[in-house]
Amino acid sequence: MQSTVIRFERFQAAQDEACQASIMAARQKLGHRLVILGHHYQHESVYRHADHTGDSLRLARAAAASDAEYIVFLGVHFMAEVADILSRPEQICILPDLSAGCSMADMANLAKVERCRRELSTHYDFDATFTPVTYINSAADLKAFCGEHGGIVCTSSNAQKIMQWAFARREKVLFFPDQHLGRWTGYKMGIPLDEMVVWDPDLPLGGLTRQQIDHAKVLLWKGHCSVHQMFQPQHITRFRNQYPEGKVIAHPESPFEVCRLADAVGSTEFIIKTITESPPGTRWLVGTELNLVNRLAERMKPYGTIVQFMSPLICECSTMARIDPPHLAWALENLAHGQIVNRIQVAPKEAELAKLALDRMLEVS
Ligand code: 13P
Ligand code: SF4
């Protein structure tokens, strides 16, 4: 007998214990048919159910290596798309709440990137001059654009290697959608700041002159992460005045001055590794999402290591937070009853081109 989809309303007002119990029961029932991948920014209430946790690169690899019939993603939309693209066609990827997007990823879209290419093409042979590099925080069609135009995907943990790959092919890089990651990566590679210019997609020719583009090595898309832009240089200065022996670490989505003042800059995985391997008793100021920082603070307490959040304000990634116990319980309970809800499925042609750009990345990193 065909069962019907279980409605979300059944879980919406449920107590946390009830959701936790149904998540565990469904996992038990599904066994090895299910794998749950969880990004470090997820809240503990769902993160604890992940079979694999990691930054976006590690989770992309886990998706590619998984044999499970169902891949449930605790993260945001672009991450589930990557899992779908890198997994086999018969595997099913699920995002428990479809409204879990990424506001930075939404700052670039195919229409605007195509317009940028058209405008640049009036002055340059685009495919011979620019390597398009998209941060993994982008929609699948932008990854497909990179696949089609000899470009590549990067994450915050491999951006420098990827940029080197890009420059080995063409003289300039078009980097989207995060200007901060692009600028920081270029700066680390020794590219002067005036050779990295911001392309504003809402202005003709990106708001730039022909001379500026001629002179530039990198065109940085005008996009940013609303969570990481909350971290400011004065937060670091205040911390250093109070704790001169303290260390500062930041995610490269943070503003340039924050990265420049930090002792270390890197992906979520890098932040965790650096802090967990630091001498006991170290005091850290951390510029990345709150759930990760709170989890790390708890984990390091027994070693006397103090982990402090960089901003006085609460900067949670509100879209990551949409994956909560009610949504996870609802998605898993449906799977346990043979119903698929919230499947993420990238169109085949787009997936093929996006995979090209992702495979180039996996090969390089
Ligand atoms: P990571 O690649 O470090 O996981 O970062 C992804 C992200 O969205 C950070 O805001
Ligand atoms: Fe996107 Fe920023 Fe959230 Fe990361 S923290 S998923 S970049 S909005």
Side-chain angles (χ1 to χ4, degrees):
M1 196 180 66
Q2 183 77 38
S3 63
T4 51
V5 170
I6 302 163
R7 290 163 63 88
F8 177 64
E9 286 69 26
R10 221 182 90 184
F11 296 90
Q12 201 163 19
Q15 297 286 320
D16 191 50
E17 302 86 78
C19 291
Q20 297 292 340
S22 76
I23 292 167
M24 285 187 294
R27 291 191 69 193
Q28 182 97 27
K29 190 166 172 194
L30 290 160
H32 294 304
R33 296 171 68 202
L34 167 73
V35 70
I36 301 181
L37 307 181
H39 189 268
H40 293 309
Y41 290 169
Q42 291 291 304
H43 190 264
E44 196 51 37
S45 56
V46 293
Y47 188 81
R48 66 167 71 115
H49 297 293
D51 297 296
H52 300 280
T53 59
D55 63 3
S56 43
L57 180 62
R58 188 192 258 238
L59 293 177
R61 287 193 196 284
S66 168
D67 275 332
E69 195 176 328
Y70 305 122
I71 301 174
V72 171
F73 216 108
L74 313 178
V76 287
H77 195 270
F78 73 82
M79 297 179 180
E81 278 188 337
V82 169
D84 178 55
I85 295 164
L86 293 178
S87 57
R88 294 189 313 278
E90 64 276 16
Q91 289 175 289
I92 289 168
C93 294
I94 287 167
L95 184 65
D97 184 346
L98 293 179
S99 67
C102 163
S103 55
M104 175 211 281
D106 294 341
M107 289 180 192
N109 62 39
L110 187 60
K112 288 184 177 184
V113 171
E114 277 292 4
R115 190 167 70 219
C116 165
R117 185 185 67 83
R118 275 198 308 277
E119 289 190 320
L120 289 171
S121 298
T122 60
H123 302 286
Y124 306 88
D125 176 346
F126 182 85
D127 282 348
T129 314
F130 294 91
T131 307
V133 178
T134 187
Y135 188 23
I136 197 164
N137 296 37
S138 56
D141 55 4
L142 292 183
K143 295 183 177 81
F145 175 93
C146 290
E148 190 173 2
H149 292 281
I152 192 163
V153 178
C154 78
T155 76
S156 55
S157 54
N158 60 21
Q160 194 162 330
K161 276 189 194 156
I162 300 294
M163 205 82 123
Q164 276 154 356
W165 181 96
F167 280 121
R169 276 148 191 86
R170 296 160 196 175
E171 70 176 272
K172 296 179 196 289
V173 164
L174 171 63
F175 190 96
F176 44 86
D178 184 18
Q179 59 167 303
H180 297 302
L181 176 65
R183 186 179 292 106
W184 180 250
T185 309
Y187 175 76
K188 293 289 284 176
M189 292 169 70
I191 301 174
L193 289 175
D194 70 342
E195 292 180 25
M196 295 187 277
V197 291
V198 175
W199 177 277
D200 183 339
D202 295 321
L203 295 174
L205 205 61
L208 298 167
T209 62
R210 173 75 202 272
Q211 288 71 20
Q212 282 174 303
I213 301 174
D214 273 349
H215 182 66
K217 291 286 287 171
V218 187
L219 301 189
L220 300 165
W221 195 263
K222 194 178 176 198
H224 64 269
C225 165
S226 46
V227 178
H228 288 83
Q229 75 161 1
M230 305 292 272
F231 304 125
Q232 298 296 323
Q234 61 269 27
H235 301 149
I236 300 182
T237 315
R238 208 175 304 145
F239 174 81
R240 289 234 161 95
N241 286 338
Q242 216 176 342
Y243 307 107
E245 76 301 342
K247 297 272 180 213
V248 179
I249 191 163
H251 195 282
E253 288 173 14
S254 306
F256 180 71
E257 279 310 319
V258 167
C259 293
R260 192 144 65 168
L261 286 171
D263 296 293
V265 178
S267 76
T268 54
E269 203 68 43
F270 171 84
I271 292 172
I272 294 168
K273 188 172 183 313
T274 307
I275 294 180
T276 52
E277 290 177 359
S278 65
T282 311
R283 181 184 286 272
W284 286 97
L285 184 72
V286 187
T288 197
E289 207 266 351
L290 188 61
N291 282 307
L292 183 159
V293 180
N294 284 344
R295 189 177 304 117
L296 209 43
E298 279 305 308
R299 181 171 164 190
M300 298 314 288
K301 259 187 201 159
Y303 307 97
T305 297
I306 298 165
V307 177
Q308 241 174 275
F309 190 56
M310 192 178 284
S311 169
L313 305 170
I314 293 178
C315 326
E316 222 194 2
C317 176
S318 57
T319 48
M320 285 265 181
R322 289 178 196 254
I323 310 295
D324 55 10
H327 283 92
L328 181 58
W330 170 69
L332 294 187
E333 185 101 346
N334 270 295
L335 279 185
H337 284 84
Q339 293 294 337
I340 292 156
V341 291
N342 288 9
R343 181 173 186 181
I344 300 295
Q345 202 168 18
V346 178
K349 181 69 193 155
E350 197 171 289
E352 191 187 316
L353 288 169
K355 188 168 185 311
L356 210 68
L358 281 162
D359 283 345
R360 286 176 190 144
M361 172 188 83
L362 292 174
E363 217 168 284
V364 174
S365 47

